[in-house]
Amino acid sequence: MIPTIASRLDAVRHDMAQDNLDAFIIPRADEYLGEYVPERNERLQWISHFTGSAGMVIVLKNSAAIFVDGRYTLQVRQQVDSELFQYLSLTDTPQIQWLVDTLSADARIGYDPRLHPLSWQKKANTEFTKASMQLIAIKDNPIDNHWQNRPAASAAPAILFDHHSAGKTSQQKRLEIGNIVNHSGADMALITSLDSFCWLLNIRGSDVPRLPVILGSALLHANGDMLVFTQLDKLPTGINTHVGTGVSFKAETELEPTLKSLSGSKLLADPHSANAWSQLTAEQAGANLIAGSDPVSLIKAQKNPSELAGIKACHIRDGVAVTRFLAWLDTEVAADNFFDEGQLADKLETFRLSDSQYLEPSFDTISAVGANAAMCHYNHNNGTPALMTNNSLYLVDSGAQYLDGTTDVTRTIAIGQVSDEQRKMVTLVLKGHIALDQARFPRGTTGQQLDGFARQYLWQHGFDYDHGTGHGVGHCLNVHEGPQRIGKNSNDVPLLPGMVLSNEPGYYRANEFGIRLENLVYVRPCEALAGIEREMFEFSALTMIPMDSRLIDKSLLTETEINWFNDYHQLVLTTLSPFMQGDELTWLTHATKAI
């Protein structure tokens, strides 16, 4: 018999009582604090049935609350029992302050230090101390204690990632990053981001859905030597030769005694991305913590020529796959054959599955018809997939992990006839997309400074969108890679040559329709300008997939914008046509015809 949510809450409260806790905090994160979580580590889902990608549950002695952001306002009510949980906003109701307001002085608030970053722990501890409350680190997570039939960890072995595709050997990467560690004044760095430690070793894996990595962490010494803590039976034959000298592999259980042996060492760690447990364990053993960003992230983000070559190649193949899907979709609609969102997402993947280098989707496909597309991070798997209807818009945001790169693309498609208002809004989004694509900017420019390029035409008409304009993308790694971003409130990281980003302005009208146009681009030196006084950069498009010209109001475009649209479609036709034939080539030729 599967335990009910009520009985699971009772089990957690039993453990809370043993530790004399008034509250226990359960984030969606796992020990690695990444965006994607293996099924085995979906603790938030276990305690609540909530499947969203962000959220938090706080269990009190006699009640519980679940905090979610605006993306999941409807979903949380469908999945989570309102008799057991109060629904609260993750953004508008700060959880620490809510606990201070809800509980009395002397309350003891439990948390698992492996599931929270050190930055959160320090802030929470400060706020609770002010309120005469205690933040209590729990050694044994009550969910782990009571999770019956917990999914097993992946048994799939690690993949030795080709050095030629990577552009550098592991040893070259470790020496480069080790030099950064040395310049920070540290003896070693704690590497906990899964994509960072796999990138350093030139390995990939399948331990986490949508992210081709294996689970583990590492200590990288300033001389480039590296201690790797992972599941040893996942390491394939030849791993030691592959990574080169200076790498030692240990079981993950060896991480704690190793951290406790670092007395007197200077340890570089990112308080925002590494969990509190690892840093506090080292600090309590006598290590000197040096707070700093992950030393791998900025170098990893600047793709080298070999990585860019793979990324360009996979985008051509992905362009063929998605274009074949779009041709199929138009043919089916013309025959009055309509499908639901799940069937459409599955059909799209069949075109990618024929690629021998395809691994898996890079995120859950957003396949959204009509009003569902107004929810910008809609997931048809969280309810009953809706059936597409004639005379509507269909938004599909999808991506793939290939052995030579990672893709992410959104297209908005006309299903039958669309309104003049819908064409107007698509065209305003397109104008912003073109403006960002054509931006030229000096070295030192951040994504925050460029964000307004994409929003300006929507702003002029009184519209906007509530998500970032662009995120970084990895090389057969995380589809949402930092540190670079393009957004209203993004960070101060400059955009540098080799960085891959998305360009994805959108517009969402509640209960009616949603629009997004997304290409991936990379940053390169701007060589077209003569006599320049500063080093200038520009974007170059990677995505090669037609945009739906039926949705464009040409009267709203300038001559320059019309030329961009036609030039882009000519490039798509020239790039993809050698790989297409028959009716699909005929469709592509028509879809890329000049407006």
Side-chain angles (χ1 to χ4, degrees):
M1 179 178 175
I2 300 174
T4 65
I5 294 299
S7 65
R8 291 174 179 179
L9 285 166
D10 288 342
V12 169
R13 290 185 177 117
H14 175 269
D15 285 15
M16 288 168 55
Q18 289 187 325
D19 289 317
N20 192 25
L21 297 178
D22 298 285
F24 183 66
I25 301 172
I26 305 162
R28 198 263 172 165
D30 68 357
E31 296 87 324
Y32 308 98
L33 302 185
E35 177 181 3
Y36 298 103
V37 177
E39 185 182 9
R40 173 179 174 79
N41 293 344
E42 290 278 14
R43 296 177 178 91
L44 187 70
Q45 182 178 340
W46 183 89
I47 195 65
S48 67
H49 279 169
F50 178 67
T51 61
S53 63
M56 179 177 284
V57 159
I58 298 178
V59 181
L60 306 180
K61 287 180 176 180
N62 299 304
S63 64
I66 183 165
F67 299 77
V68 299
D69 64 35
R71 294 174 292 173
Y72 301 115
T73 303
L74 296 177
Q75 181 181 327
V76 73
R77 284 166 169 76
Q78 295 169 346
Q79 295 182 327
V80 179
D81 189 341
S82 61
E83 293 187 6
L84 300 176
F85 294 88
Q86 179 184 2
Y87 307 135
L88 294 170
S89 169
L90 189 66
T91 51
D92 298 337
T93 310
Q95 295 78 62
I96 297 171
Q97 186 60 48
W98 181 80
L99 281 164
V100 169
D101 294 340
T102 302
L103 300 177
S104 58
D106 299 325
R108 288 167 53 86
I109 295 134
Y111 80 109
D112 184 340
R114 297 174 186 263
L115 309 186
H116 299 265
L118 182 63
S119 56
W120 178 92
Q121 187 273 344
K122 287 185 175 296
K123 179 183 179 183
N125 196 51
T126 299
E127 295 301 313
F128 289 142
T129 300
K130 284 181 186 176
S132 300
M133 297 175 172
Q134 288 180 272
L135 182 64
I136 308 296
I138 302 302
K139 183 175 182 182
D140 297 317
N141 191 306
I143 290 178
D144 299 353
N145 293 341
H146 295 284
W147 194 337
Q148 300 172 18
N149 301 313
R150 186 177 180 182
S154 168
I159 300 167
L160 302 182
F161 196 68
D162 181 64
H163 292 319
H164 175 74
S165 298
K168 297 176 184 175
T169 65
S170 169
Q171 197 159 16
Q172 288 172 318
K173 291 179 176 181
R174 289 185 283 109
L175 288 171
E176 182 178 11
I177 305 302
N179 191 45
I180 295 173
V181 174
N182 184 52
H183 278 101
S184 75
D187 301 312
M188 66 190 76
L190 177 65
I191 309 295
T192 59
S193 294
L194 298 175
D195 55 340
S196 289
F197 106 85
C198 287
W199 180 87
L200 273 171
L201 295 172
N202 281 348
I203 60 174
R204 300 294 189 267
S206 53
D207 284 2
V208 180
R210 312 316 189 209
L211 178 62
V213 295
I214 66 169
L215 298 177
S217 55
L219 288 170
L220 177 69
H221 290 261
N223 66 357
D225 288 353
M226 191 167 169
L227 271 175
V228 178
F229 304 89
T230 189
Q231 190 176 328
L232 296 178
D233 60 6
K234 300 179 72 67
L235 300 177
T237 302
I239 183 73
N240 291 310
T241 302
H242 178 76
V243 299
T245 59
V247 178
S248 300
F249 293 96
K250 294 178 177 289
E252 282 199 274
T253 53
E254 292 297 308
L255 178 58
E256 183 172 7
T258 303
L259 292 172
K260 288 181 175 179
S261 72
L262 297 182
S263 178
S265 298
K266 290 174 285 187
L267 178 65
L268 174 65
D270 189 336
H272 301 290
S273 67
N275 69 46
W277 170 83
S278 56
Q279 294 170 84
L280 293 174
T281 299
E283 186 175 49
Q284 289 162 7
N288 298 309
L289 292 183
I290 298 177
S293 60
D294 178 346
V296 177
S297 61
L298 189 60
I299 300 298
K300 174 168 57 65
Q302 299 170 70
K303 310 300 184 287
N304 62 50
S306 296
E307 291 172 317
L308 277 177
I311 291 168
K312 291 176 183 178
C314 81
H315 271 84
I316 294 173
R317 301 195 311 276
D318 198 60
V320 172
V322 177
T323 300
R324 291 181 63 208
F325 166 76
L326 296 176
W328 168 86
L329 179 60
D330 262 11
T331 301
E332 294 297 319
V333 170
D336 288 330
N337 294 326
F338 297 100
F339 302 88
D340 71 39
E341 296 161 329
Q343 292 171 318
L344 292 169
D346 292 343
K347 183 66 179 181
L348 172 54
E349 190 179 12
T350 65
F351 290 105
R352 286 177 165 135
L353 280 165
S354 62
D355 190 321
S356 62
Q357 297 197 68
Y358 175 74
L359 298 173
E360 62 178 332
S362 55
F363 56 96
D364 289 345
T365 296
I366 299 172
S367 175
V369 304
N372 287 341
M375 296 178 277
C376 62
H377 292 96
Y378 173 77
N379 189 330
H380 63 270
N381 292 316
N382 292 331
T384 302
L387 187 70
M388 60 195 296
T389 58
N390 205 9
N391 303 327
S392 66
L393 297 181
Y394 171 57
L395 185 152
V396 58
D397 184 350
S398 71
Q401 295 287 5
Y402 297 97
L403 282 171
D404 52 352
T406 302
T407 69
D408 180 3
V409 57
T410 309
R411 289 294 181 261
T412 304
I413 302 148
I415 305 299
Q417 299 300 311
V418 297
S419 69
D420 290 343
E421 176 69 7
Q422 289 170 329
R423 284 195 183 88
K424 170 189 169 183
M425 298 313 303
V426 172
T427 307
L428 294 179
V429 171
L430 172 65
K431 288 169 73 72
H433 180 100
I434 294 171
L436 183 59
D437 179 271
Q438 293 293 282
R440 289 170 174 168
F441 48 95
R443 177 181 284 276
T445 301
T446 67
Q448 185 171 357
Q449 292 170 299
L450 294 179
D451 180 75
F453 282 53
R455 299 179 192 268
Q456 58 182 310
Y457 300 102
L458 288 167
W459 284 349
Q460 287 174 12
H461 289 77
F463 305 113
D464 202 356
Y465 52 93
D466 293 327
H467 58 74
T469 298
H471 56 82
V473 178
H475 177 231
C476 189
L477 281 172
N478 203 328
V479 73
H480 298 138
E481 178 182 80
Q484 73 275 24
R485 288 181 60 239
I486 300 174
K488 286 182 185 176
N489 301 305
S490 58
N491 52 36
D492 59 356
V493 175
L495 304 187
L496 296 168
M499 286 182 170
V500 174
L501 298 111
S502 64
N503 172 1
E504 51 179 308
Y507 173 71
Y508 310 90
R509 185 165 293 177
N511 304 313
E512 293 189 34
F513 59 86
I515 297 160
R516 190 158 62 251
L517 296 176
E518 176 187 18
N519 281 356
L520 295 193
V521 298
Y522 71 96
V523 181
R524 67 182 183 186
C526 181
E527 298 176 351
L529 297 175
I532 58 175
E533 297 180 349
R534 301 189 180 194
E535 187 177 12
M536 300 293 290
F537 300 143
E538 63 184 1
F539 296 120
S540 181
L542 291 162
T543 304
M544 293 289 138
I545 297 167
M547 297 181 182
D548 195 339
S549 59
R550 297 169 297 189
L551 291 173
I552 305 307
D553 183 346
K554 184 178 175 181
S555 70
L556 296 176
L557 297 177
T558 65
E559 182 179 356
T560 299
E561 291 165 339
I562 293 169
N563 290 338
W564 180 95
F565 192 79
N566 291 335
D567 289 347
Y568 175 72
H569 272 169
Q570 182 59 48
L571 179 60
V572 170
L573 176 64
T574 302
T575 303
L576 301 188
S577 57
F579 307 100
M580 304 186 76
Q581 56 189 353
D583 291 344
E584 291 173 338
L585 179 57
T586 300
W587 182 91
L588 174 64
T589 303
H590 183 265
T592 54
K593 187 171 61 176
I595 60 172

